[in-house]
Amino acid sequence: MNTERDLAPLAPSVVRALNDKLYEKRKVAALEIEKLVREFVAQNNTSQIKHVIQILSQEFALSQHPHSRKGGLIGLAACSIALGKDSGLYLKELIEPVLTCFNDADSRLRYYACEALYNIVKVARGSVLPHFNVLFDGLSKLAADPDPNVKSGSELLDRLLKDIVTESNQFDLVGFIPLLRERIYSNNQYARQFIISWILVLESVPDINLLDYLPEILDGLFQILGDNSKEIRKMCEVALGEFLKEIKKNPSSVKFAEMANILVIHCQAADDLIQLTAMCWMREFIQLAGRVMLPYSSGILTAVLPCLSYDDRKKNIKEVANVCNQSLMKLVIPEDDEVDEAKHSLTLLTEPNSSESLSKPEAASSAWQERVGITALPQPLSFLCSSERLQVTLNLDGIVQVLDCHLHDSSIGMMTRIAVLKWLYHLYIKTPRKMFRHTDSLFPILLRTLSDESDEVILKDLEVLAEIASSPAGQTEDPSPSDGSDARPSPVELHVPARTSQISSSGPKGLECSPSTPTMNSYFYKFMINLLKRFSSERKLLDNRGAFIIRQLCLLLNAENIFHSMADILLREEDLKFASTMVHTLNTILLTSSELFQLRNQLKDLKTPESRNLFCCLYRSWCHNPVTTVSLCFLTQNYKHAYDLIQKFGDLEVTVDFLTEVDKLVQLIECPIFTYLRLQLLDVKNNPYLIKALYGLLMLLPQSSAFQLLSHRLQCVPNPELMQPADSIKLSSISKRAAASNIDYSELLQHFEKVQNKHLEARHQRAGRAEQLDRKVVL
C-alpha cells in the first residue's frame, strides 16, 4: 500500500478501513468518503473530486488485494451518492473500474461490483445512457454467471437499467444495434434470455423504432427460437409475434426485401417451431409486400415446395407453405412476359444471382450458407410504395432451375411434384414467350414424369405438355430449339423425322397425312414423336397408363390431331411389333372412350373430305393389326371393304393372339358403340357385306364363347323376303356411302397386304433368332 501522503485527501483511518476484511468497517469508511465528497461538491472542488475517484479506482478497485477491491467498490458507490445529480460528469471514471471487477474470479467481489454499479446507476439515472453499451456488455456477462447471488444482483441492476431506458427519450439505438447483433448469437441460455428480455423492452418503447433494424437481428432471433429451454423459446415467440404485429400495422416502413433471404433459410430449418414461424412470416411477407418478393421466388420455392408433401405430423407447416405457394404464384402476371431487353438489362443488377451473397449482416451470412447448403441471394429492393414503384423483374431462369431440380429429384413427395407442375403450367400461361426458352431443357423430364406412380401427377404433367404443344408462343419456323445456348443436352431426341408430302403416290392429294392445325404449334408433332418413343422404350408405361394418357390428351388437345399424327408416325415405325400393339391400343381408345364420341361420329359417316382424310391416314397405320383394321371399317361402315379384308385373313398366319383379338372384336360388336351396326342387320338387302363380314369372323373363330355369341346374333338376322322394302323408298345406305366413293379401296387393300407381309417376315425372323438361341442353350 502506498504512503498516507499519496492517498490524501483520504484520512489514514479511512484507508485502513477500506482495506479491512470486515464489511462493516468498509461501510463506515464509505460513509466518511461520502461526507468528504459532499464537502468538495459544496466547494465546487472538481479537481479533488476527480482525485478521490482516481485513488479509489487505481489504488483500491483495481488493486491486487481482494479486500482493497471491495473497499474501492463501496467507496466509488459512496462518491456517486455524494455527487447526486452531478455524478453524470464523472460516470466514465466511476463505471470503468466497477465493470472491470465484473470479471473477477471471486464471486463475492463480482456481487459487490454489481451492488456498486446499481448505486451508481440509481443516482445517475438517464445520465448513464451514453455509457449504455458498456453497461449492457457487462450485464450480459453477469446474466450467465454461475453464482446465484451474482445473478440475482445483476437482475436488479438489469431491471433498473430497463426502467431508465423505458422512461428516457435519449436512447442511442443506432449505436446499440451492432452490439445487440453480436451478442444475439450467444449460445448460453441465460445470455439468450437476457437478450430477448431487452428486445421485448425496446420493442415496447414508443419512441424506439426497433423495426427499422429488424433485418440486423432477425436471424439471431430465429436461432434463439431453437433453444432447448421452453421458457426462452416462448419469450422468443412473443418477441417475433410482436414484431410481426408491428409489420402488419406499418408495412410501408418495413424492409421486406432485406429479410427475405433470412426467412428462406429458416423455412428450411430442421426444428419444427423455427420452420413454422419462418413460414408464417413468409406468408405475411408475400401477402404484404407483393411483387417485392418476386426476385426471391427461386429461394422461396426451394424452401416451400418440399413442405407441401409433409404428413399430418407437420400439418400446420404444410398448410402455411401451401398458402405461401399459392400467394407467390398469383404475383406472376402476363406483364412479366413483356419486359423488353433494355429494361431487362437494367434490372439484372437487382436480380438475385447465384454468385452474389448477403451484405448484411456479413458475419452471419456465411454461417447461414454453410448451415443450409444453399446459395445466398443479394441485398434486395426495399419496400415499394404505390407512389414510387420500381421495376421488379421476375427471375424466371432461377424459378425454372428450382422447378427442374425438384422434378429430377425422385425422393420428393407427390404433392410437391404436383405443385411443381402447377407452377410450370402457370408460367406457360402467364409468361409463354420467356418459358419457351426453357422448353427444350424441360421437355425430357416432363416426358419421364409420365411414368410417375400417381395419376394426379400424370394429369398435371399432361396439362403442361398439352400447353406446350398448343401455345401460340411455341410456333416457330425453325423446328430447332428456340434457345439452344442454355439448353442442356437432352437424352430424348426432339428431331422431327422427314415428312412425306404424300403417303402413297397412288392416293389422292387430299389424303395427305398432316397433323398440323391452327391450334397446334411446332412442338405438337415433337411431343407425339417422343411420347410414342416413350411407349416403345417403356412397354410397362404403355400397358398400365397408355390408354389413360392418350384419353387425357384427347381432352386437352384436338383428338383428331392426336390420332392423325400418331397414325402418321406409326406408319414409319420400324419396330413392327410395337406398331401393332400401339395401333391396338389406339383402336381400343377410339372405339370405347367417351372422350372420342365426336371423333367416332365424324368417322362413322365419312361425309367430309377431312373425315375421309383421317380414315385413310388411320387405315394405313391400322394395317399393322388386321383385326383393328376390320374394326375401323366397321366403325366407318365400310362393310364391303371389311369383308374383303376378312377374305385376306385366310392368307395370314393365324396365331393365338390373332384369335384373341377377333374374340375381343366380337365382344365389342355387342357393346353400345356398335348399336347402329346391329340395327343395320335388319336391313339385309342393303347390308349384305355386313352380314358376310360377320359370318367371316364366325368362320375364323374356334368353337368358343365368342363363337356362340356371334352365332346367336346372326341367327337373329331376319329373312330378307320378310323385310322387303317398298319400291318407292330410296335406299338410304346407297346415298350414305356415295360420299366415300372417291376413296381408292383397292389401293388400301394392297397397302394392307404389303404391311402384313412385312409383319410375317418380322415374325419369322424373330422365330429364327429364338430357335438359334435355344440350340445354343442345348449345346
Side-chain angles (χ1 to χ4, degrees):
M1 183 61 62
N2 290 335
T3 62
E4 296 178 7
R5 183 177 57 80
D6 294 331
L7 299 181
L10 297 183
S13 59
V14 173
V15 172
R16 284 194 300 272
L18 285 175
N19 286 301
D20 200 283
K21 65 179 181 180
L22 295 176
Y23 173 75
E24 292 299 328
K25 290 187 177 181
R26 295 197 301 271
K27 187 176 180 181
V28 170
L31 291 172
E32 289 296 324
I33 292 171
E34 182 182 345
K35 182 180 177 182
L36 179 64
V37 173
R38 285 185 189 277
E39 292 176 359
F40 290 148
V41 171
Q43 299 166 6
N44 198 22
N45 194 343
T46 56
S47 60
Q48 284 290 59
I49 294 172
K50 288 182 179 179
H51 188 49
V52 170
I53 294 173
Q54 184 181 11
I55 291 171
L56 291 171
S57 173
Q58 299 297 325
E59 303 298 332
F60 289 91
L62 301 178
S63 170
Q64 298 296 319
H65 196 279
H67 297 312
S68 297
R69 292 201 294 274
K70 293 174 185 176
L73 290 170
I74 197 170
L76 289 170
C79 284
S80 177
I81 293 170
L83 287 167
K85 63 180 181 180
D86 293 332
S87 63
L89 301 172
Y90 309 93
L91 276 178
K92 187 175 186 295
E93 292 81 3
L94 289 168
I95 291 174
E96 285 184 355
V98 178
L99 289 174
T100 303
C101 292
F102 276 10
N103 300 318
D104 200 285
D106 185 355
S107 62
R108 194 68 187 161
L109 204 142
R110 294 199 302 275
Y111 174 77
Y112 285 134
C114 195
E115 185 181 55
L117 190 57
Y118 179 87
N119 286 309
I120 294 170
V121 172
K122 186 177 180 181
V123 172
R125 301 298 291 183
S127 300
V128 301
L129 290 179
H131 307 279
F132 178 81
N133 279 13
V134 292
L135 294 174
F136 183 88
D137 184 50
L139 275 175
S140 66
K141 295 172 184 175
L142 289 186
D145 199 285
D147 187 272
N149 291 324
V150 176
K151 195 181 297 181
S152 176
S154 70
E155 288 172 359
L156 285 172
L157 176 57
D158 181 51
R159 282 198 291 271
L160 174 62
L161 203 56
K162 284 173 181 172
D163 289 340
I164 294 170
V165 170
T166 303
E167 67 190 25
S168 173
N169 59 359
Q170 297 178 350
F171 182 72
D172 182 13
L173 185 61
V174 177
F176 172 61
I177 288 299
L179 178 62
L180 179 61
R181 184 178 62 203
E182 176 192 339
R183 291 303 166 90
I184 204 168
Y185 288 104
S186 172
N187 291 322
N188 184 279
Q189 286 189 355
Y190 298 108
R192 284 180 163 184
Q193 192 170 14
F194 173 78
I195 293 290
I196 292 294
S197 69
W198 267 102
I199 289 174
L200 286 168
V201 167
L202 295 175
E203 208 173 353
S204 67
V205 179
D207 294 333
I208 297 176
N209 188 8
L210 194 57
L211 192 61
D212 283 347
Y213 302 93
L214 183 57
E216 305 282 348
I217 61 173
L218 186 61
D219 178 64
L221 283 172
F222 273 108
Q223 290 201 35
I224 293 176
L225 191 60
D227 196 273
N228 294 327
S229 167
K230 289 184 179 180
E231 184 182 354
I232 294 174
R233 287 164 77 100
K234 187 65 180 175
M235 287 178 66
C236 194
E237 267 191 280
V238 172
L240 286 167
E242 291 298 320
F243 275 123
L244 196 55
K245 285 180 186 177
E246 191 67 25
I247 287 170
K248 290 179 182 178
K249 288 180 185 177
N250 304 295
S252 60
S253 61
V254 178
K255 299 172 181 175
F256 287 105
E258 292 186 21
M259 294 182 277
N261 295 306
I262 299 170
L263 294 184
V264 165
I265 290 165
H266 291 290
C267 280
Q268 301 170 77
D271 185 281
D272 287 354
L273 179 60
I274 295 176
Q275 190 177 26
L276 176 60
T277 306
M279 200 67 73
C280 289
W281 275 62
M282 185 65 79
R283 176 190 62 196
E284 299 300 330
F285 272 37
I286 294 171
Q287 292 176 353
L288 293 170
R291 288 178 59 83
V292 171
M293 302 298 287
L294 270 186
Y296 309 93
S297 299
S298 56
I300 295 170
L301 287 176
T302 300
V304 166
L305 288 173
C307 301
L308 301 178
S309 293
Y310 282 173
D311 55 26
D312 288 341
R313 288 173 296 179
K314 295 185 176 183
K315 185 180 178 181
N316 292 340
I317 299 174
K318 179 180 178 180
E319 290 175 352
V320 180
N322 188 51
V323 175
C324 289
N325 183 53
Q326 296 295 329
S327 300
L328 187 64
M329 193 180 290
K330 291 176 182 177
L331 298 180
V332 182
I333 56 177
E335 285 75 10
D336 289 317
D337 202 34
E338 299 169 5
V339 180
D340 56 38
E341 293 303 319
K343 193 179 290 181
H344 179 68
S345 62
L346 285 172
T347 51
L348 280 177
L349 296 174
T350 62
E351 286 189 8
N353 187 290
S354 58
S355 63
E356 296 177 35
S357 61
L358 281 170
S359 60
K360 293 192 297 183
E362 294 176 0
S365 63
S366 59
W368 296 340
Q369 295 174 47
E370 291 173 6
R371 188 167 69 253
V372 299
I374 69 168
T375 306
L377 301 172
Q379 270 304 311
L381 304 172
S382 57
F383 184 82
L384 304 185
C385 302
S386 58
S387 60
E388 211 174 84
R389 282 194 74 88
L390 297 174
Q391 177 63 40
V392 177
T393 304
L394 177 69
N395 182 21
L396 191 64
D397 293 350
I399 294 175
V400 172
Q401 185 179 1
V402 170
L403 297 175
D404 188 39
C405 288
H406 277 81
L407 275 184
H408 277 88
D409 186 359
S410 58
S411 65
I412 63 170
M414 179 189 72
M415 297 308 297
T416 298
R417 294 197 297 278
I418 291 174
V420 168
L421 292 166
K422 283 183 177 179
W423 260 101
L424 288 172
Y425 181 76
H426 183 73
L427 292 173
Y428 271 109
I429 293 293
K430 298 294 183 182
T431 59
R433 187 173 62 84
K434 287 184 178 180
M435 277 302 294
F436 269 95
R437 299 172 187 169
H438 303 276
T439 297
D440 291 300
S441 61
L442 288 169
F443 201 78
I445 186 60
L446 288 172
L447 281 172
R448 287 201 293 275
T449 305
L450 291 174
S451 303
D452 197 276
E453 297 175 356
S454 166
D455 285 350
E456 291 182 61
V457 172
I458 294 175
L459 280 172
K460 291 299 173 188
D461 190 35
L462 288 171
E463 285 184 18
V464 178
L465 287 166
E467 183 59 30
I468 291 173
S470 61
S471 173
Q475 189 64 53
T476 57
E477 295 296 326
D478 184 2
S480 62
S482 51
D483 188 8
S485 59
D486 296 327
R488 297 176 306 187
S490 170
V492 182
E493 187 181 350
L494 285 178
H495 299 296
V496 181
R499 303 286 305 283
T500 54
S501 61
Q502 205 166 313
I503 298 302
S504 173
S505 58
S506 58
K509 188 174 182 180
L511 304 184
E512 178 182 346
C513 295
S514 174
S516 60
T517 71
T519 59
M520 300 296 114
N521 61 30
S522 55
Y523 280 93
F524 174 80
Y525 204 65
K526 297 176 184 179
F527 176 30
M528 294 297 109
I529 291 170
N530 286 279
L531 180 60
L532 289 175
K533 284 183 179 180
R534 192 80 183 164
F535 285 148
S536 177
S537 61
E538 195 174 341
R539 296 297 172 87
K540 186 179 178 182
L541 175 64
L542 175 60
D543 296 340
N544 297 341
R545 299 287 180 80
F548 171 72
I549 290 171
I550 294 170
R551 286 174 60 186
Q552 292 303 318
L553 283 175
C554 288
L555 289 174
L556 295 166
L557 297 170
N558 184 288
E560 180 183 349
N561 288 354
I562 291 171
F563 273 79
H564 208 154
S565 59
M566 284 191 169
D568 188 17
I569 297 164
L570 288 170
L571 191 58
R572 294 182 293 281
E573 176 60 51
E574 295 179 359
D575 185 347
L576 298 181
K577 188 174 181 181
F578 166 70
S580 177
T581 304
M582 193 68 222
V583 163
H584 179 266
T585 301
L586 289 170
N587 187 67
T588 303
I589 295 169
L590 177 63
L591 293 179
T592 61
S593 298
S594 58
E595 295 88 350
L596 296 175
F597 175 76
Q598 290 184 344
L599 188 60
R600 284 197 296 272
N601 281 347
Q602 185 179 340
L603 286 168
K604 190 183 294 182
D605 296 328
L606 299 180
K607 290 180 179 179
T608 63
E610 291 79 15
S611 62
R612 296 193 291 273
N613 180 18
L614 178 61
F615 166 72
C616 291
C617 182
L618 294 181
Y619 182 95
R620 287 183 163 82
S621 287
W622 262 228
C623 287
H624 283 296
N625 190 307
V627 179
T628 60
T629 313
V630 171
S631 67
L632 179 65
C633 290
F634 281 162
L635 175 65
T636 56
Q637 303 183 65
N638 283 304
Y639 301 133
K640 183 180 186 307
H641 192 69
Y643 173 70
D644 292 339
L645 286 172
I646 292 171
Q647 290 292 96
K648 296 290 182 182
F649 283 6
D651 300 329
L652 302 179
E653 183 180 7
V654 178
T655 63
V656 175
D657 290 340
F658 176 85
L659 292 175
T660 302
E661 291 190 21
V662 175
D663 189 298
K664 290 179 180 177
L665 176 57
V666 171
Q667 303 291 339
L668 273 174
I669 290 171
E670 294 299 317
C671 292
I673 290 167
F674 281 116
T675 299
Y676 68 90
L677 181 146
R678 298 196 299 273
L679 289 174
Q680 286 173 356
L681 291 174
L682 295 174
D683 191 356
V684 179
K685 187 174 182 180
N686 290 322
N687 296 292
Y689 287 105
L690 170 60
I691 297 171
K692 286 184 177 184
L694 292 176
Y695 269 110
L697 291 178
L698 188 68
M699 296 303 107
L700 286 171
L701 286 168
Q703 298 283 334
S704 60
S705 58
F707 177 90
Q708 298 296 330
L709 187 65
L710 185 55
S711 177
H712 290 156
R713 175 62 68 185
L714 289 171
Q715 287 172 15
C716 298
V717 175
N719 189 323
E721 294 179 1
L722 297 176
M723 303 293 289
Q724 195 68 255
D727 294 338
S728 59
I729 299 175
K730 297 288 183 181
L731 299 179
S732 60
S733 63
I734 294 175
S735 60
K736 182 184 294 184
R737 304 317 303 166
S741 60
N742 63 340
I743 296 177
D744 189 347
Y745 287 103
S746 61
E747 187 274 330
L748 293 178
L749 197 60
Q750 290 174 12
H751 178 77
F752 174 80
E753 291 175 345
K754 181 180 177 182
V755 172
Q756 285 305 308
N757 286 334
K758 287 183 180 179
H759 276 269
L760 183 62
E761 291 175 10
R763 279 198 295 272
H764 287 168
Q765 288 175 2
R766 287 198 297 270
R769 286 195 295 269
E771 187 177 346
Q772 290 178 1
L773 187 63
D774 290 342
R775 287 176 181 173
K776 288 181 181 179
V777 172
V778 171
L779 291 174

